[in-house]
Amino acid sequence: MGHDNDPNLSGTDKIILAISMTFLVILAIFVIGGGFVFGFAGLFQLFSVNYESKSALIYYVMLLIPLTLLFEVATFFVLLRVIILLKKRWAILATTAATKYLFSWIPLYVTDEIISTMTVPLHTELVAALLLCLLDSIFYKKR
């Protein structure tokens, strides 16, 4: 007890395992980030949004992801406070949908304002927020 010696793994095996797991996590982050970059590139192509370089698009997504995560947490706490005040199911559903939509749009707007090398029109931001809400509801649907 208290020893970290595993009879099945040597020190070299543990190092290889740690490095492999690190690369696996980095690969997952790049795949998810790449999906967002190519997704937004396609959306911007559909809505004829011009950006100066591909690095501007990458910066846009790199700033958007943490802002979105921050606003996801804010959405959770706002809904936690508001939902308990509502009694009717339709009011709960409408408030939840509107709050999630609003808190999906705000990071898109803030990111657009911060990144000066690209300008995203309001209607494109609203469509992107709708798509993000739909993806969120599809992937996190309660079973």
Side-chain angles (χ1 to χ4, degrees), residues 39-87:
F40 274 98
L43 180 73
F44 291 161
Q45 185 70 30
L46 284 174
F47 285 96
S48 300
V49 175
N50 296 320
Y51 42 91
E52 292 180 9
S53 65
K54 290 182 182 20
S55 63
L57 180 62
I58 293 170
Y59 292 145
Y60 184 88
V61 171
M62 285 177 58
L63 182 61
L64 181 65
I65 289 173
L67 279 175
T68 302
L69 292 174
L70 180 70
F71 277 92
E72 287 268 338
V73 172
T75 303
F76 174 75
F77 286 115
V78 167
L79 287 175
L80 192 66
R81 301 290 288 178
V82 172
I83 295 298
I84 59 173
L85 302 174
L86 302 174
K87 303 291 183 212

Side-chain angles (χ1 to χ4, degrees), residues 16-28:
I16 291 172
L17 181 64
I19 291 171
S20 299
M21 292 304 294
T22 303
F23 282 135
L24 185 63
V25 168
I26 290 171
L27 178 66

